[in-house]
């Protein structure tokens, strides 16, 4: 089950459960859409993977699998990218499709 982290790892922007700006990689590294598009260029600085829109956890409990029963995460991961280290990763992966990294 996804943790649904509450903020962008790079800029610390709030990304609540209902946010349409939250993006995640396959390890659930969480960044806002602005950082993914304009700083990271769809390359995760932690794993080198690509990003997808993070789904939201349902708020209605019709199925019993909702945010009330399974609350979203509260753990903030805030570690702005180190541009020097990230540029090395970016050079390798920027022109490689995420599925081929």
């Amino acid at each position: 089950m996804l943790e649904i982290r509450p903020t962008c790892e790079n800029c610390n922007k709030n990304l609540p459960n209902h946010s349409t700006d939250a993006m995640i990689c396959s390890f659930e590294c969480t960044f806002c859409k602005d950082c993914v598009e304009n700083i990271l260029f769809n390359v995760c600085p932690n794993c080198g993977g690509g990003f997808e829109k993070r789904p939201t956890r349902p708020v209605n409990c019709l199925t019993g699998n909702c945010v009330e029963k399974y609350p979203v995460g509260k753990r903030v991961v805030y570690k702005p990218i180190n541009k020097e280290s990230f540029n090395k990763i970016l050079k390798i992966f920027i022109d490689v499709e995420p599925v081929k990294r």
Side-chain angles (χ1 to χ4, degrees), residues 24-92:
I24 59 173
C25 73
S26 66
F27 288 93
E28 205 178 342
C29 301
T30 304
F31 294 88
C32 69
K33 190 174 183 177
D34 186 52
C35 284
V36 166
E37 292 176 352
N38 300 310
I39 296 172
L40 304 175
F41 303 101
N42 198 31
V43 176
C44 179
N46 302 318
C47 70
F51 291 94
E52 296 291 333
K53 182 184 176 303
R54 182 187 72 192
T56 58
R57 182 142 314 133
V59 293
N60 79 64
C61 285
L62 192 60
T63 64
N65 295 316
C66 61
V67 80
E68 188 176 295
K69 186 174 179 183
Y70 300 102
V72 298
K74 295 186 184 330
R75 180 172 68 102
V76 172
V77 178
Y78 178 56
K79 52 181 186 180
I81 64 161
N82 175 307
K83 290 181 183 180
E84 190 175 314
S85 331
F86 177 62
N87 282 338
K88 293 174 187 175
I89 296 167
L90 188 60
K91 277 184 182 180
I92 295 168

